[in-house]
């Protein structure tokens, strides 16, 4: 057979002819660590169950190996890396402006926060002062993005429990916001809107009229769609007391964001370590003490209401002025280090940048809250039923784009 | 910048600091030797005048000459972020004690630093690769692991296959060589 006739290794017809493979949960190599050896040793009456990487409730491509005893989960081992793109390495090979578009797809349901983390640390490196109008536009658009993200969370969570209606309802709100942001930024999901020293483009008439229309009925509509779940006996009974975590463990597991606040700690980067114009805005930090799935869900409901308050204040206090600081095209910050954190819908999204004086970051570390929360799934899961795996995982709200970087 | 915090740090860790305490914007930075990670972090976590109960971030850094483990901590006793740099890890055998005894949540952050830099965190119970496949041998975020794009930046560098640029000494020579590579042996 000549080379031209031989099918290439990438030819999908080869896969069609192959027999279906059986997925072995146990890795085909000797254990690398004590923990791996312990996990992959079966006790009496136990078995492994492979879930993923294409399981609908894993919110992306996550593979989880469950060790089960009957229907109870004894332990689990998440296997990551299916979405790994090496964003940190790519950032070292791009200049400071290009990095903004590369961090966009990390937490793809709340992209503005990824951009914000990056530009905030670059601005610290460069000692740039951002115009006040730009800061207000950042807060306004980011809080809209937070509502869109939480709306998606509520729908997803119900979907993972088998309820189809809430996700259709929450997509009404989310689509409205996403279209609104598209008229502001030009994109529906991966906005690429924040710039070092400001934002790309001022508020326009289309965005303002959409926002005005939506704000006049937002509170009412969000409450209506929340009634669907909050007053649903099946949902509330299923979620109450499921996957609880106490304050001390949550702190030791490095929890942040709504998942930490659901255990009673009022830790919010917007107040604990203020950035942008948040000190000038009036809003509360909702907390709950139960630390279970229901608390994590209800806390996000409360956060949406606070975000609406912030948006309202932004619209009333919006100053006039430029939206970009005057900066050269080619940025060469002095050698140094900068750390910045923003409160994303999932928790602390942090960026650590090291500059060596060239126009590219020497090292850029991205700390993603989804990654941190996902490692505690095994802790929350022990002793629960397999069916609760999805509920607990959904209540932590991980986004695999951010987990795998 | 919290000047009094700097004074407190200097008073507490005077002999353990391997460099001056630096402050810029909202960050305070101390440098310690890798051997001092356990006592310094325990002191920062337990001492009521510091009370750093929250580990914000753990990052590996390769400066090209040495490796660093960089910790970011938050506490309500100071408005600053505290950055602790465990400096001077050797690039051939970077070893640093694990902080999972204080924060079990650091386990995956240490796994990531191991996966990307090959840093060994002594005491971490589960130090295995997390993003890259288990049979992978390189450490992608090291500075001697270069991307093909770098060819444009280094005259005479030529095109090199990514994984070929950084191969640890004990690796069997099974890495596939790509056409166009500088190290390509002559193939019939």
């Amino acid at each position: 057979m000549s080379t031209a006739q031989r099918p290439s290794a990438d030819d999908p017809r080869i896969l069609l002819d192959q027999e279906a493979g059986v997925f072995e949960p146990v890795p085909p190599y000797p254990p690398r660590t004590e923990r791996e050896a312990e996990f992959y040793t079966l006790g009496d009456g136990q078995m492994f169950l492979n879930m993923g990487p294409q399981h609908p409730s894993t919110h992306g491509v996550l593979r989880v190996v469950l060790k089960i005893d009957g229907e109870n989960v004894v332990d689990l081992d998440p296997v990551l890396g299916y979405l790994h793109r090496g964003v940190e390495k790519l950032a070292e090979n791009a200049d400071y402006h290009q990095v903004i578009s590369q961090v966009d797809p990390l937490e793809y349901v709340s992209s503005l926060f990824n951009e914000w983390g990056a530009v905030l640390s670059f601005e610290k490196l460069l000692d740039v002062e951002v115009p006040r109008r730009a800061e207000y536009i950042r807060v306004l658009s980011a809080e809209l993005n937070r509502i869109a993200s939480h709306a998606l969370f509520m729908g997803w969570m119900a979907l993972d429990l088998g309820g189809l209606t809430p996700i259709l309802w929450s997509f009404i709100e989310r689509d409205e916001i996403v279209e609104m942001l598209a008229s502001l930024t030009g994109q529906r999901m991966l906005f690429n809107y924040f710039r070092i020293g400001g934002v790309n483009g001022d508020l326009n008439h289309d965005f303002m009229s959409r926002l005005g229309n939506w704000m006049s009925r937002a509170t009412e509509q969000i409450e209506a769609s929340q009634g669907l779940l909050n007053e649903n006996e099946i949902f509330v009974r299923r979620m109450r007391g499921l996957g609880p975590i106490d304050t001390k463990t949550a702190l030791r597991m490095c929890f942040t964001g709504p998942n930490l606040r659901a255990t009673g700690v009022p830790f919010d980067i917007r107040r604990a370590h203020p950035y942008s114009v948040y000190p000038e805005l009036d809003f509360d930090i909702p907390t709950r003490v139960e630390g279970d799935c229901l608390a994590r869900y209800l806390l996000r409901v409360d956060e949406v209401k606070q975000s609406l308050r912030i948006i309202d204040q932004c619209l009333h206090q919006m100053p006039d002025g430029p939206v970009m600081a005057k900066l050269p095209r080619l940025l060469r910050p002095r050698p140094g280090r900068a750390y910045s954190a923003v409160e994303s819908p999932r928790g602390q999204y942090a960026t650590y940048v090291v500059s060596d004086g060239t126009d590219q970051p020497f090292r850029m570390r991205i700390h993603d809250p989804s990654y941190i929360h996902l490692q505690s799934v095994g802790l929350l899961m022990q002793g629960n039923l397999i069916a609760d795996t999805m509920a607990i995982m959904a209540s932590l709200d991980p986004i695999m784009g951010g987990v795998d970087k | 910048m919290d000047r009094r915090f700097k004074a407190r740090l200097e008073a507490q860790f005077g002999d353990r600091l391997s460099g001056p305490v630096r402050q810029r914007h909202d960050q305070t930075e101390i440098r310690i030797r890798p051997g001092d990670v356990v006592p310094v972090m325990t002191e920062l976590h337990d001492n009521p005048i510091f009370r750093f109960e929250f580990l914000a971030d753990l990052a590996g850094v390769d400066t090209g000459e040495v490796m660093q483990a960089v910790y970011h901590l938050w506490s309500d006793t100071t408005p600053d972020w505290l950055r602790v740099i465990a400096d001077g890890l050797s690039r051939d055998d970077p070893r640093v004690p694990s902080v999972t005894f204080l924060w079990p949540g650091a386990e995956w952050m240490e796994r990531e630093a191991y996966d990307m830099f090959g840093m060994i965190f002594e005491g971490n119970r589960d130090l295995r690769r997390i993003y890259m496949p288990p049979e992978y041998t390189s450490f992608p975020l090291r500075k001697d692991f270069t991307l093909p794009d770098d060819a444009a930046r280094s005259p005479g560098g030529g095109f090199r296959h990514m994984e070929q640029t950084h191969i640890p000494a004990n690796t069997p020579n099974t890495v596939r060589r790509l056409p166009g590579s500088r190290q390509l042996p002559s193939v019939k």
Side-chain angles (χ1 to χ4, degrees), chain B residues 90-117:
Chain B
S90 98
R91 292 190 80 246
D92 300 326
D93 186 25
R95 279 175 187 276
V96 66
S98 166
V99 292
T100 47
F101 69 99
L102 287 172
W103 296 281
E107 188 177 293
W108 275 22
M109 291 192 253
E110 292 180 347
R111 271 179 76 180
E112 190 187 342
Y114 165 72
D115 195 4
M116 294 291 141
F117 293 93

mmCIF file of all heavy atoms in Angstrom, chain B residues 90-117:
data_model
loop_
_atom_site.group_PDB
_atom_site.id
_atom_site.type_symbol
_atom_site.label_atom_id
_atom_site.label_comp_id
_atom_site.label_asym_id
_atom_site.label_seq_id
_atom_site.Cartn_x
_atom_site.Cartn_y
_atom_site.Cartn_z
ATOM 1 N N SER B 90 17.290 24.801 44.432
ATOM 2 C CA SER B 90 18.166 24.471 43.308
ATOM 3 C C SER B 90 17.319 23.976 42.143
ATOM 4 O O SER B 90 16.302 23.318 42.330
ATOM 5 C CB SER B 90 19.174 23.409 43.721
ATOM 6 O OG SER B 90 18.736 22.135 43.318
ATOM 7 N N ARG B 91 17.728 24.316 40.925
ATOM 8 C CA ARG B 91 16.923 23.932 39.767
ATOM 9 C C ARG B 91 17.025 22.436 39.483
ATOM 10 O O ARG B 91 16.142 21.858 38.863
ATOM 11 C CB ARG B 91 17.347 24.728 38.530
ATOM 12 C CG ARG B 91 17.004 26.190 38.648
ATOM 13 C CD ARG B 91 17.202 26.919 37.346
ATOM 14 N NE ARG B 91 16.103 26.728 36.440
ATOM 15 C CZ ARG B 91 16.163 26.086 35.288
ATOM 16 N NH1 ARG B 91 17.297 25.556 34.911
ATOM 17 N NH2 ARG B 91 15.116 25.963 34.525
ATOM 18 N N ASP B 92 18.131 21.805 39.894
ATOM 19 C CA ASP B 92 18.282 20.380 39.628
ATOM 20 C C ASP B 92 17.425 19.546 40.559
ATOM 21 O O ASP B 92 16.905 18.504 40.169
ATOM 22 C CB ASP B 92 19.748 19.974 39.781
ATOM 23 C CG ASP B 92 20.615 20.752 38.805
ATOM 24 O OD1 ASP B 92 20.112 21.024 37.696
ATOM 25 O OD2 ASP B 92 21.754 21.095 39.163
ATOM 26 N N ASP B 93 17.297 19.983 41.785
ATOM 27 C CA ASP B 93 16.546 19.205 42.765
ATOM 28 C C ASP B 93 15.793 20.160 43.690
ATOM 29 O O ASP B 93 16.166 20.359 44.833
ATOM 30 C CB ASP B 93 17.513 18.320 43.558
ATOM 31 C CG ASP B 93 16.753 17.389 44.490
ATOM 32 O OD1 ASP B 93 15.590 17.100 44.203
ATOM 33 O OD2 ASP B 93 17.341 16.965 45.503
ATOM 34 N N PRO B 94 14.750 20.808 43.163
ATOM 35 C CA PRO B 94 14.041 21.788 43.987
ATOM 36 C C PRO B 94 13.194 21.109 45.062
ATOM 37 O O PRO B 94 12.269 20.372 44.742
ATOM 38 C CB PRO B 94 13.162 22.537 42.974
ATOM 39 C CG PRO B 94 13.038 21.647 41.812
ATOM 40 C CD PRO B 94 14.165 20.674 41.831
ATOM 41 N N ARG B 95 13.541 21.341 46.304
ATOM 42 C CA ARG B 95 12.812 20.722 47.408
ATOM 43 C C ARG B 95 12.397 21.786 48.401
ATOM 44 O O ARG B 95 13.167 22.672 48.738
ATOM 45 C CB ARG B 95 13.694 19.697 48.126
ATOM 46 C CG ARG B 95 13.734 18.396 47.404
ATOM 47 C CD ARG B 95 14.686 17.413 48.034
ATOM 48 N NE ARG B 95 14.767 16.255 47.177
ATOM 49 C CZ ARG B 95 13.889 15.256 47.206
ATOM 50 N NH1 ARG B 95 12.907 15.261 48.078
ATOM 51 N NH2 ARG B 95 14.007 14.243 46.376
ATOM 52 N N VAL B 96 11.175 21.683 48.887
ATOM 53 C CA VAL B 96 10.666 22.642 49.867
ATOM 54 C C VAL B 96 9.624 21.899 50.703
ATOM 55 O O VAL B 96 8.934 21.017 50.186
ATOM 56 C CB VAL B 96 10.085 23.883 49.138
ATOM 57 C CG1 VAL B 96 8.868 23.553 48.325
ATOM 58 C CG2 VAL B 96 9.779 25.013 50.095
ATOM 59 N N PRO B 97 9.540 22.194 52.012
ATOM 60 C CA PRO B 97 8.532 21.496 52.820
ATOM 61 C C PRO B 97 7.118 21.881 52.409
ATOM 62 O O PRO B 97 6.872 23.007 51.981
ATOM 63 C CB PRO B 97 8.827 21.960 54.249
ATOM 64 C CG PRO B 97 10.171 22.562 54.206
ATOM 65 C CD PRO B 97 10.385 23.065 52.832
ATOM 66 N N SER B 98 6.214 20.932 52.555
ATOM 67 C CA SER B 98 4.816 21.179 52.206
ATOM 68 C C SER B 98 4.130 21.984 53.306
ATOM 69 O O SER B 98 4.516 21.925 54.472
ATOM 70 C CB SER B 98 4.123 19.836 52.025
ATOM 71 O OG SER B 98 2.742 20.004 52.001
ATOM 72 N N VAL B 99 3.107 22.757 52.942
ATOM 73 C CA VAL B 99 2.324 23.466 53.964
ATOM 74 C C VAL B 99 0.954 22.825 54.151
ATOM 75 O O VAL B 99 0.055 23.429 54.708
ATOM 76 C CB VAL B 99 2.164 24.967 53.642
ATOM 77 C CG1 VAL B 99 3.482 25.680 53.746
ATOM 78 C CG2 VAL B 99 1.524 25.193 52.299
ATOM 79 N N THR B 100 0.799 21.583 53.685
ATOM 80 C CA THR B 100 -0.513 20.940 53.809
ATOM 81 C C THR B 100 -0.861 20.621 55.258
ATOM 82 O O THR B 100 -2.017 20.345 55.545
ATOM 83 C CB THR B 100 -0.571 19.646 52.981
ATOM 84 O OG1 THR B 100 0.614 18.894 53.243
ATOM 85 C CG2 THR B 100 -0.666 19.928 51.515
ATOM 86 N N PHE B 101 0.123 20.664 56.171
ATOM 87 C CA PHE B 101 -0.224 20.416 57.572
ATOM 88 C C PHE B 101 -0.995 21.601 58.150
ATOM 89 O O PHE B 101 -1.728 21.451 59.120
ATOM 90 C CB PHE B 101 1.042 20.132 58.402
ATOM 91 C CG PHE B 101 1.943 21.318 58.585
ATOM 92 C CD1 PHE B 101 1.891 22.058 59.752
ATOM 93 C CD2 PHE B 101 2.830 21.707 57.592
ATOM 94 C CE1 PHE B 101 2.714 23.151 59.927
ATOM 95 C CE2 PHE B 101 3.648 22.798 57.758
ATOM 96 C CZ PHE B 101 3.591 23.522 58.930
ATOM 97 N N LEU B 102 -0.823 22.806 57.559
ATOM 98 C CA LEU B 102 -1.615 23.965 57.983
ATOM 99 C C LEU B 102 -2.875 24.117 57.134
ATOM 100 O O LEU B 102 -3.953 24.383 57.635
ATOM 101 C CB LEU B 102 -0.783 25.242 57.870
ATOM 102 C CG LEU B 102 0.305 25.452 58.899
ATOM 103 C CD1 LEU B 102 1.138 26.660 58.521
ATOM 104 C CD2 LEU B 102 -0.306 25.662 60.267
ATOM 105 N N TRP B 103 -2.699 23.991 55.825
ATOM 106 C CA TRP B 103 -3.812 24.142 54.892
ATOM 107 C C TRP B 103 -3.868 22.898 54.001
ATOM 108 O O TRP B 103 -3.125 22.816 53.017
ATOM 109 C CB TRP B 103 -3.608 25.369 54.005
ATOM 110 C CG TRP B 103 -3.602 26.665 54.741
ATOM 111 C CD1 TRP B 103 -4.695 27.345 55.186
ATOM 112 C CD2 TRP B 103 -2.467 27.466 55.085
ATOM 113 N NE1 TRP B 103 -4.303 28.512 55.786
ATOM 114 C CE2 TRP B 103 -2.948 28.610 55.747
ATOM 115 C CE3 TRP B 103 -1.096 27.326 54.907
ATOM 116 C CZ2 TRP B 103 -2.111 29.600 56.221
ATOM 117 C CZ3 TRP B 103 -0.270 28.310 55.383
ATOM 118 C CH2 TRP B 103 -0.771 29.433 56.039
ATOM 119 N N PRO B 104 -4.727 21.933 54.317
ATOM 120 C CA PRO B 104 -4.838 20.766 53.420
ATOM 121 C C PRO B 104 -5.249 21.186 52.007
ATOM 122 O O PRO B 104 -4.988 20.472 51.045
ATOM 123 C CB PRO B 104 -5.941 19.932 54.068
ATOM 124 C CG PRO B 104 -6.014 20.392 55.475
ATOM 125 C CD PRO B 104 -5.610 21.821 55.482
ATOM 126 N N GLY B 105 -5.860 22.363 51.893
ATOM 127 C CA GLY B 105 -6.257 22.858 50.575
ATOM 128 C C GLY B 105 -5.092 23.232 49.690
ATOM 129 O O GLY B 105 -5.262 23.484 48.502
ATOM 130 N N ALA B 106 -3.881 23.279 50.256
ATOM 131 C CA ALA B 106 -2.710 23.591 49.428
ATOM 132 C C ALA B 106 -2.273 22.386 48.606
ATOM 133 O O ALA B 106 -1.383 22.497 47.770
ATOM 134 C CB ALA B 106 -1.558 24.064 50.311
ATOM 135 N N GLU B 107 -2.918 21.231 48.859
ATOM 136 C CA GLU B 107 -2.453 19.996 48.219
ATOM 137 C C GLU B 107 -2.440 20.110 46.696
ATOM 138 O O GLU B 107 -1.438 19.795 46.057
ATOM 139 C CB GLU B 107 -3.354 18.842 48.655
ATOM 140 C CG GLU B 107 -2.847 17.508 48.208
ATOM 141 C CD GLU B 107 -3.727 16.388 48.735
ATOM 142 O OE1 GLU B 107 -3.755 16.185 49.956
ATOM 143 O OE2 GLU B 107 -4.398 15.732 47.918
ATOM 144 N N TRP B 108 -3.533 20.592 46.138
ATOM 145 C CA TRP B 108 -3.585 20.665 44.670
ATOM 146 C C TRP B 108 -2.713 21.788 44.127
ATOM 147 O O TRP B 108 -2.195 21.691 43.030
ATOM 148 C CB TRP B 108 -5.038 20.844 44.212
ATOM 149 C CG TRP B 108 -5.777 19.560 44.099
ATOM 150 C CD1 TRP B 108 -5.461 18.394 44.731
ATOM 151 C CD2 TRP B 108 -6.931 19.305 43.311
ATOM 152 N NE1 TRP B 108 -6.371 17.427 44.384
ATOM 153 C CE2 TRP B 108 -7.279 17.951 43.523
ATOM 154 C CE3 TRP B 108 -7.714 20.074 42.464
ATOM 155 C CZ2 TRP B 108 -8.378 17.367 42.900
ATOM 156 C CZ3 TRP B 108 -8.810 19.484 41.856
ATOM 157 C CH2 TRP B 108 -9.133 18.143 42.069
ATOM 158 N N MET B 109 -2.549 22.856 44.883
ATOM 159 C CA MET B 109 -1.664 23.929 44.415
ATOM 160 C C MET B 109 -0.229 23.412 44.354
ATOM 161 O O MET B 109 0.531 23.749 43.454
ATOM 162 C CB MET B 109 -1.769 25.133 45.350
ATOM 163 C CG MET B 109 -3.100 25.831 45.283
ATOM 164 S SD MET B 109 -3.075 27.425 46.108
ATOM 165 C CE MET B 109 -4.012 27.078 47.570
ATOM 166 N N GLU B 110 0.140 22.576 45.344
ATOM 167 C CA GLU B 110 1.479 21.995 45.325
ATOM 168 C C GLU B 110 1.612 20.967 44.210
ATOM 169 O O GLU B 110 2.661 20.869 43.569
ATOM 170 C CB GLU B 110 1.791 21.369 46.687
ATOM 171 C CG GLU B 110 1.941 22.408 47.765
ATOM 172 C CD GLU B 110 2.249 21.843 49.130
ATOM 173 O OE1 GLU B 110 2.118 20.624 49.342
ATOM 174 O OE2 GLU B 110 2.611 22.625 50.012
ATOM 175 N N ARG B 111 0.536 20.242 43.970
ATOM 176 C CA ARG B 111 0.574 19.286 42.858
ATOM 177 C C ARG B 111 0.784 20.015 41.543
ATOM 178 O O ARG B 111 1.504 19.550 40.663
ATOM 179 C CB ARG B 111 -0.747 18.507 42.794
ATOM 180 C CG ARG B 111 -0.760 17.267 43.622
ATOM 181 C CD ARG B 111 -2.096 16.580 43.520
ATOM 182 N NE ARG B 111 -2.267 15.865 42.272
ATOM 183 C CZ ARG B 111 -3.363 15.172 41.952
ATOM 184 N NH1 ARG B 111 -4.362 15.113 42.801
ATOM 185 N NH2 ARG B 111 -3.463 14.550 40.806
ATOM 186 N N GLU B 112 0.143 21.168 41.412
ATOM 187 C CA GLU B 112 0.293 21.933 40.175
ATOM 188 C C GLU B 112 1.725 22.434 40.026
ATOM 189 O O GLU B 112 2.306 22.364 38.941
ATOM 190 C CB GLU B 112 -0.692 23.097 40.181
ATOM 191 C CG GLU B 112 -0.758 23.785 38.838
ATOM 192 C CD GLU B 112 -1.602 25.032 38.872
ATOM 193 O OE1 GLU B 112 -2.402 25.189 39.808
ATOM 194 O OE2 GLU B 112 -1.441 25.846 37.950
ATOM 195 N N ALA B 113 2.300 22.918 41.137
ATOM 196 C CA ALA B 113 3.679 23.409 41.066
ATOM 197 C C ALA B 113 4.631 22.262 40.746
ATOM 198 O O ALA B 113 5.627 22.437 40.038
ATOM 199 C CB ALA B 113 4.068 24.081 42.374
ATOM 200 N N TYR B 114 4.323 21.067 41.263
ATOM 201 C CA TYR B 114 5.147 19.900 40.935
ATOM 202 C C TYR B 114 5.022 19.560 39.454
ATOM 203 O O TYR B 114 6.004 19.288 38.763
ATOM 204 C CB TYR B 114 4.723 18.703 41.790
ATOM 205 C CG TYR B 114 5.257 17.394 41.280
ATOM 206 C CD1 TYR B 114 6.602 17.079 41.411
ATOM 207 C CD2 TYR B 114 4.422 16.476 40.638
ATOM 208 C CE1 TYR B 114 7.104 15.897 40.915
ATOM 209 C CE2 TYR B 114 4.914 15.290 40.139
ATOM 210 C CZ TYR B 114 6.260 15.004 40.279
ATOM 211 O OH TYR B 114 6.748 13.852 39.776
ATOM 212 N N ASP B 115 3.783 19.600 38.953
ATOM 213 C CA ASP B 115 3.528 19.233 37.570
ATOM 214 C C ASP B 115 4.214 20.191 36.608
ATOM 215 O O ASP B 115 4.766 19.799 35.581
ATOM 216 C CB ASP B 115 2.010 19.257 37.343
ATOM 217 C CG ASP B 115 1.598 18.572 36.079
ATOM 218 O OD1 ASP B 115 2.466 17.999 35.404
ATOM 219 O OD2 ASP B 115 0.400 18.592 35.755
ATOM 220 N N MET B 116 4.200 21.473 36.960
ATOM 221 C CA MET B 116 4.692 22.494 36.040
ATOM 222 C C MET B 116 6.179 22.776 36.209
ATOM 223 O O MET B 116 6.840 23.228 35.284
ATOM 224 C CB MET B 116 3.897 23.793 36.254
ATOM 225 C CG MET B 116 2.444 23.669 35.875
ATOM 226 S SD MET B 116 2.282 23.484 34.110
ATOM 227 C CE MET B 116 0.969 22.309 33.996
ATOM 228 N N PHE B 117 6.721 22.574 37.426
ATOM 229 C CA PHE B 117 8.119 22.951 37.678
ATOM 230 C C PHE B 117 8.972 21.792 38.185
ATOM 231 O O PHE B 117 10.172 21.924 38.287
ATOM 232 C CB PHE B 117 8.191 24.073 38.720
ATOM 233 C CG PHE B 117 7.622 25.369 38.253
ATOM 234 C CD1 PHE B 117 6.310 25.693 38.500
ATOM 235 C CD2 PHE B 117 8.397 26.252 37.537
ATOM 236 C CE1 PHE B 117 5.782 26.888 38.048
ATOM 237 C CE2 PHE B 117 7.869 27.447 37.095
ATOM 238 C CZ PHE B 117 6.565 27.758 37.351
#
